[in-house]
Amino acid sequence: MNSDTRRTAGSSRGILAPVSNGDTQSTSDTALAAFANAYKRRMPEDEEPTISGDQFEAEIACAFGFFNDRGRDPYAVRVFVPTVDTCGYQSPGSVVEIVTDDASFLVDSISNRLTRLGYTIVRHFHPVVGTTRDPSGDLMEVISGKDAPHRESVQHYELAESLSNEEGRELEKQLASAIDNIRATVRDYEPMRFAVRRMAHYAFEDGSAFDRAEVDEAIAFLDWLLEDNFILLGYREYDITDDGGGPAIVAKPDSGLGILSDRSQSRFAEPVPLGALPPDLRGRYESGRQLVISKTNSRSTVHRDSRMDYVGLRRVHPDGRPKGEARLVGLFTSKAYMAASATMPILRRKLQRILEDEDLIEGSHDYKVITQIFESFPKDELFSITLEDLRTSLVGLLEAEEHQHVRLFVRNDVLHRNVSILVVIPRDRFDANLRRQLQDLILKRYGGGSIDYQLTLGETGDARIHFTVWIDGSIPTVSFEGLERDVYRLTRTWDDRVCQTLAETREQPAARALIEAYAHRYPDHFRAASSLGQAARSIVDVDALMTGSEQIRVSIYNEVDSDERLTRIVVYSRSGKRDLSEMLPLIEDLGLRVIEEIPTRLSTDDDADDELFAHDFGVLGPDGGCLEVDTCGARVSAALTATLVGEGESDGLSRLLVLTDLDHRQINVLRAYRSYWHLVNPAFSKSYVAGALAAYPDITDDLVRLFEARFGPDADERVETELRATLLVHLEAVASLDEDRILRAFLGLIDATVRTSAFLGSGSLAFKFLSAKVPAAPEPRPMYEIFVFAPEVAGIHLRGGPVARGGIRWSIRRQDYRTEVLGLMKAQMTKNVVIVPTGAKGGFVMRRVANPVAGPTFDEVRSGYRIFISAL
């Protein structure tokens, strides 16, 4: 928009030519000074101009020129972008200025109108000045507005937006229309009050066609409106005539007041046959209540930006034929909204009827609750709802209060202009996001133009959201059952949805019990990031942990509802958070790649000793995909659990859990054999040996089966023979010489084993070897040797003959203590050959001590000695 200023006036003068900056030719310097004082005096302190003093004086002079030029016009409006060249000052956005006779509702009406149109007001003020103008409208004097016989309102608004010429002209028309409505409202204030009294007379006059109590309440309500409970905006009467073609409705000439004074704007300016009206509107004139209170589709441009309230009095002939309608539009005041509903005419009768029909005793619990619920309803809803619909809603809400149910109530407006929907939910389920979701759902289902809402929090724990959907045209048919189902889906809490998932695999009461016991432990970030399936599984795992004696539980499953398919390994700990440096190596020993770790602290009750924590690892298998959880998940879980509680071990051999059908106890047998052979022949490192076993999982699996066929409780010589033959065939296919030597060494170690404690169920393993058969054993070879492999200790006992004796010692040579013990046995047999011709020696090392740096304490060594001796 260019910088030319113009104005829209409320007369034929219309848009005037530009006014020169500071044009004061028709006013004296005194008038300008008085105007400037009023202008500055009404400026709020927090809206001081950001322009220079000279420009501010130019702004006042420019406004005064516009004010002076109003003349005899009822008002003047202009929208412009001031510049230094045209006005002596500049503004970042457009400026709106209005001059009119002072009246009620001006400032709030204009401010609301600008905001409603989407404009941002960054600065505004509105001085009222007293004036004296000559008969032609020229300004003679500016005086104090307090005692002046004539006062004018000057309004100055600075907008954040800079409007084009076309946008400015449209805004001027919008504001001019609002001012016309304000002027009409103020002008007809007293005639409209008289019209309301006339409506009361009509109600009494037509009373024979209605219930006497209904008539009395209608009259009382109309009287109540005049007690500062209603802002009167417009009034009009309508007659139903019969011109030979059937009954028709027409706006009564000269009956319009306020914003309804222009009869030509009425859809009934000319007679409209009742038969041409929509059925619902026609029914309103032909039957129904005497007084109808509802909302209009139109929004008020006076006082506040909201839909206007409609009060319609149906008029009838003594024989019951429709006579017409007296219609009042306006706005209920804040006083009306603050009043107790049970004391207001019309509403008090509705409440009393319901209390009587439901046979409720005054002072009883249900009586009090029904009354409280009634008071919590929006008054607009109470006025417009039918008695039967209100009774249904109140009784339904009484049940919802007692049982914390989700309830839905839907009602079409009596004039079919809107749909009222009441959603009742337990208060702990309500939040702003849910309200927006419900609002979007309802608006979409009904295809409404807009939707309003009002929230009420019940005294006994529910939240009630009253939605009003405004429909352009006829109200569509919407399935109540379908809408109720969608509302219930949105209002379900995380607890509800997880409970439903749990109920797919167990009885509903059991699922609900799990939710009540554990759902409150889960923090918001877990609820937001986890799927319902993950949450349900977690609750089951937590329950198993908390109801058992274990301190650790490991759960393994594959994601099924995520774009990134991962295997989840979740470690639950009752002793709080565990070090990642402890857990990551255990998972990597399995040959898995850790993609992510999500820690979750699960809150506990105040008096609980447990500090429950969940470490959730997202992993990929050796092949880059998910694990075959159905086949290896239980074994991996058991192995990790055993290791974390100190009853198992983890190293490169743990890969066999994924690659074979072996569990951690079977793998521990291989670990023991590997440790012993490393003492006998340390040519290959332990990790290298683990790699060879993992490279041939089928052969490794058969080696363990051979061990079990030979020494297990179901030992079978035939199976042993078949497995050995199979192994020898498969060993021929091993390409690497090192791997062949390693795999054959394990076969040789099994063959060299005389007996074992592996199937006795103890915490330690012991193997008795015939030393002559041990692969690559150094000379001299004892007759027998017993190798002990326990979590705390490892040891060897060498014997030179069937019967032998000798001491046992603790060794600090952890890597080659067999060599040390073998040397001691050899020395014993050489030096004491006469006394001990076939000697024996034993030694052990500590594998697990409290302080590895300081070494084992005396008590730890003594304990290790006892474990070693008992294993022998």
Side-chain angles (χ1 to χ4, degrees):
M1 180 179 178
N2 62 34
S3 58
D4 289 343
T5 59
R6 61 172 183 274
R7 72 177 185 179
T8 296
S11 73
S12 59
R13 293 176 64 173
I15 299 175
L16 301 184
V19 179
S20 62
N21 180 28
D23 183 4
T24 60
Q25 295 176 0
S26 61
T27 62
S28 66
D29 291 341
T30 302
L32 174 58
F35 177 85
N37 289 334
Y39 195 93
K40 295 176 182 179
R41 186 183 305 116
R42 303 310 303 165
M43 181 183 298
E45 293 182 0
D46 58 350
E47 293 187 356
E48 289 290 338
T50 57
I51 57 179
S52 67
D54 291 342
Q55 287 200 25
F56 184 47
E57 294 298 329
E59 174 187 312
I60 296 174
C62 184
F64 177 76
F66 175 66
F67 167 74
N68 181 40
D69 194 56
R70 172 193 168 193
R72 297 182 58 84
D73 292 335
Y75 59 85
V77 181
R78 68 172 178 175
V79 179
F80 64 103
V81 178
T83 66
V84 174
D85 292 337
T86 59
C87 300
Y89 75 100
Q90 60 185 10
S91 172
S94 293
V95 170
V96 176
E97 288 185 338
I98 297 171
V99 179
T100 185
D101 291 347
D102 187 37
S104 303
F105 310 131
L106 277 172
V107 176
D108 47 6
S109 299
I110 298 302
S111 298
N112 289 334
R113 193 63 178 168
L114 289 171
T115 302
R116 175 70 179 173
L117 293 172
Y119 300 115
T120 302
I121 302 172
V122 296
R123 177 170 169 252
H124 78 103
F125 42 94
H126 40 83
V128 175
V129 296
T131 61
T132 301
R133 293 182 182 268
D134 63 19
S136 64
D138 291 335
L139 184 66
M140 302 297 293
E141 186 181 16
V142 175
I143 59 178
S144 171
K146 184 176 180 180
D147 301 317
H150 181 73
R151 291 184 290 271
E152 299 183 35
S153 173
V154 180
Q155 299 181 50
H156 177 96
Y157 301 86
E158 295 180 11
L159 308 181
E161 299 80 11
S162 183
L163 280 62
S164 65
N165 277 322
E166 183 178 354
E167 291 170 333
R169 283 190 292 269
E170 179 60 29
L171 178 56
E172 288 174 349
K173 292 177 182 178
Q174 294 274 357
L175 296 178
S177 174
I179 296 173
D180 283 334
N181 285 338
I182 295 168
R183 287 171 49 81
T185 297
V186 173
R187 178 198 65 209
D188 292 342
Y189 172 72
E190 285 299 335
M192 283 191 286
R193 288 181 61 86
F194 182 79
V196 175
R197 297 188 184 97
R198 188 162 62 249
M199 289 177 71
H201 174 73
Y202 289 158
F204 177 80
E205 186 178 85
D206 301 338
S208 61
F210 301 96
D211 179 78
R212 185 71 253 173
E214 181 181 1
V215 174
D216 290 343
E217 283 297 284
I219 294 173
F221 176 77
L222 292 169
D223 290 340
W224 176 81
L225 292 181
L226 297 179
E227 296 173 0
D228 295 329
N229 290 306
F230 199 76
I231 297 174
L232 307 172
L233 298 181
Y235 175 84
R236 183 183 290 147
E237 295 183 13
Y238 301 84
D239 290 333
I240 294 179
T241 62
D242 192 343
D243 57 0
I249 184 170
V250 62
K252 186 175 182 179
D254 302 324
S255 67
L257 297 170
I259 64 173
L260 298 182
S261 57
D262 187 354
R263 182 170 179 266
S264 65
Q265 298 299 313
S266 173
R267 61 180 296 195
F268 302 120
E270 300 296 331
V272 176
L274 288 185
L277 298 178
D280 52 291
L281 186 56
R282 177 179 179 179
R284 158 64 191 143
Y285 291 117
E286 295 180 337
S287 62
R289 291 175 283 168
Q290 183 181 35
L291 196 67
V292 172
I293 306 164
S294 184
K295 287 283 187 181
T296 68
N297 283 332
S298 303
R299 306 185 74 90
S300 172
T301 60
V302 179
H303 184 48
R304 65 173 183 261
D305 176 36
S306 61
R307 296 184 188 275
M308 291 182 289
D309 295 291
Y310 158 93
V311 179
L313 181 75
R314 188 166 73 92
R315 302 213 57 202
V316 295
H317 292 285
D319 59 3
R321 289 181 298 108
K323 181 190 296 185
E325 179 190 29
R327 179 179 302 177
L328 177 70
V329 294
L331 298 169
F332 285 110
T333 64
S334 58
K335 176 187 175 184
Y337 283 115
M338 293 174 63
S341 298
T343 65
M344 297 167 62
I346 303 291
L347 302 188
R348 63 192 179 192
R349 181 167 182 266
K350 287 184 177 181
L351 175 60
Q352 190 60 37
R353 286 280 305 276
I354 292 172
L355 293 173
E356 291 174 356
D357 292 346
E358 293 298 318
D359 196 23
L360 297 178
I361 302 172
E362 186 173 359
S364 67
H365 173 268
D366 287 356
Y367 184 101
K368 292 178 181 178
V369 174
I370 286 286
T371 304
Q372 290 169 356
I373 296 174
F374 179 84
E375 287 291 348
S376 71
F377 261 64
K379 289 185 173 61
D380 295 331
E381 180 75 4
L382 289 175
F383 277 126
S384 60
I385 193 171
T386 65
L387 180 65
E388 195 55 44
D389 285 341
L390 180 59
R391 178 188 295 109
T392 300
S393 297
L394 291 180
V395 174
L397 285 171
L398 177 63
E399 178 188 352
E401 286 265 1
E402 294 175 348
H403 301 289
Q404 292 290 288
H405 289 166
V406 175
R407 296 295 303 271
L408 179 69
F409 304 90
V410 179
R411 178 187 64 81
N412 289 348
D413 173 58
V414 65
L415 300 180
H416 283 232
R417 294 169 173 167
N418 60 70
V419 179
S420 175
I421 299 173
L422 171 60
V423 180
V424 184
I425 58 176
R427 189 184 302 183
D428 58 2
R429 302 188 186 192
F430 174 77
D431 58 28
N433 183 56
L434 173 59
R435 191 267 303 165
R436 286 190 291 268
Q437 289 177 322
L438 290 171
Q439 187 168 310
D440 292 343
L441 168 68
I442 293 170
L443 189 61
K444 181 178 180 181
R445 282 299 183 87
Y446 282 93
S450 62
I451 185 169
D452 302 327
Y453 78 93
Q454 182 170 332
L455 171 66
T456 304
L457 298 179
E459 293 191 4
T460 57
D462 66 6
R464 305 170 205 145
I465 318 172
H466 293 258
F467 293 102
T468 303
V469 188
W470 297 93
I471 310 297
D472 297 327
S474 60
I475 296 177
T477 300
V478 175
S479 167
F480 177 83
E481 291 75 15
L483 181 62
E484 185 179 46
R485 184 170 53 251
D486 288 344
V487 167
Y488 179 73
R489 175 179 54 81
L490 289 178
T491 56
R492 286 185 306 164
T493 63
W494 184 83
D495 293 9
D496 293 332
R497 295 193 294 272
V498 176
C499 184
Q500 183 177 0
T501 303
L502 284 169
E504 295 174 0
T505 57
R506 62 198 66 232
E507 295 295 329
Q508 179 71 30
R512 176 53 61 184
L514 287 175
I515 290 295
E516 292 176 355
Y518 302 111
H520 66 280
R521 294 176 177 265
Y522 289 87
D524 291 341
H525 73 82
F526 179 92
R527 294 168 179 248
S530 301
S531 68
L532 297 178
Q534 287 175 306
R537 182 186 298 270
S538 178
I539 287 176
V540 171
D541 288 331
V542 168
D543 177 63
L545 179 64
M546 300 303 290
T547 56
S549 58
E550 298 86 358
Q551 293 295 312
I552 293 289
R553 181 177 177 84
V554 178
S555 177
I556 301 179
Y557 61 93
N558 287 331
E559 292 182 345
V560 295
D561 45 10
S562 173
D563 295 336
E564 186 178 13
R565 294 292 304 277
L566 297 174
T567 295
R568 312 300 310 187
I569 298 180
V570 188
V571 179
Y572 297 93
S573 169
R574 294 178 69 167
S575 56
K577 192 174 184 179
R578 302 181 73 100
D579 293 340
L580 287 180
S581 60
E582 171 194 17
M583 291 187 292
L584 284 177
L586 305 185
I587 298 175
E588 292 172 343
D589 283 344
L590 295 166
L592 307 179
R593 183 158 58 96
V594 180
I595 305 301
E596 64 182 13
E597 189 262 345
I598 304 173
T600 302
R601 188 181 303 278
L602 303 177
S603 63
T604 57
D605 299 328
D606 293 339
D607 57 350
D609 295 330
D610 300 298
E611 186 183 357
L612 192 58
F613 205 93
H615 292 274
D616 184 352
F617 297 92
V619 303
L620 293 174
D623 60 354
C626 292
L627 297 180
E628 295 292 337
V629 172
D630 292 341
T631 58
C632 72
R635 298 195 307 273
V636 172
S637 175
L640 287 173
T641 302
T643 305
L644 288 168
V645 299
E647 297 176 358
E649 298 185 40
S650 179
D651 53 33
L653 286 175
S654 297
R655 282 177 287 174
L656 298 174
L657 289 163
V658 176
L659 300 174
T660 70
D661 293 332
L662 303 177
D663 62 28
H664 72 285
R665 298 185 186 279
Q666 294 169 312
I667 293 172
N668 205 41
V669 171
L670 295 174
R671 187 175 287 112
Y673 272 125
R674 182 190 62 175
S675 295
Y676 168 72
W677 194 53
H678 187 72
L679 294 171
V680 173
N681 181 11
F684 302 109
S685 68
K686 292 181 179 180
S687 60
Y688 192 78
V689 172
L693 293 172
Y696 294 90
D698 292 338
I699 293 178
T700 301
D701 191 80
D702 284 344
L703 286 170
V704 176
R705 306 302 173 200
L706 177 66
F707 174 80
E708 293 175 342
R710 185 172 182 186
F711 300 107
D714 299 322
D716 189 323
E717 188 175 347
R718 181 183 59 82
V719 174
E720 178 187 354
T721 302
E722 291 176 354
L723 282 170
R724 182 175 283 102
T726 301
L727 276 167
L728 292 173
V729 172
H730 289 165
L731 286 169
E732 292 298 325
V734 176
S736 168
L737 179 60
D738 284 351
E739 291 172 342
D740 180 77
R741 287 177 61 192
I742 292 169
L743 294 170
R744 289 182 185 275
F746 272 81
L747 177 59
L749 290 172
I750 294 171
D751 288 340
T753 305
V754 176
R755 66 174 182 266
T756 179
S757 66
F759 301 98
L760 298 180
S762 64
S764 56
L765 293 172
F767 303 86
K768 183 177 181 181
F769 294 103
L770 186 61
S771 299
K773 289 188 174 183
V774 173
E779 297 293 340
R781 298 193 180 199
M783 178 178 287
Y784 296 107
E785 51 189 293
I786 299 175
F787 176 66
V788 174
F789 188 74
E792 299 85 358
V793 299
I796 194 80
H797 187 269
L798 307 178
R799 197 163 75 222
V803 178
R805 60 179 179 170
I808 295 175
R809 64 180 291 162
W810 163 56
S811 175
I812 61 174
R813 294 168 58 176
R814 296 189 59 180
Q815 295 296 319
D816 65 342
Y817 59 89
R818 182 183 183 278
T819 301
E820 178 187 16
V821 173
L822 181 62
L824 292 172
M825 187 196 75
K826 180 179 178 181
Q828 181 192 38
M829 294 176 64
T830 301
K831 295 179 180 179
N832 302 319
V833 65
V834 177
I835 302 172
V836 188
T838 54
K841 279 292 182 181
F844 67 92
V845 296
M846 301 301 299
R847 300 186 64 220
R848 184 183 297 168
V849 295
N851 190 341
V853 176
T857 64
F858 175 78
D859 288 339
E860 287 176 327
V861 172
R862 183 170 57 181
S863 175
Y865 172 80
R866 290 171 179 168
I867 294 172
F868 179 61
I869 290 297
S870 64
L872 292 176

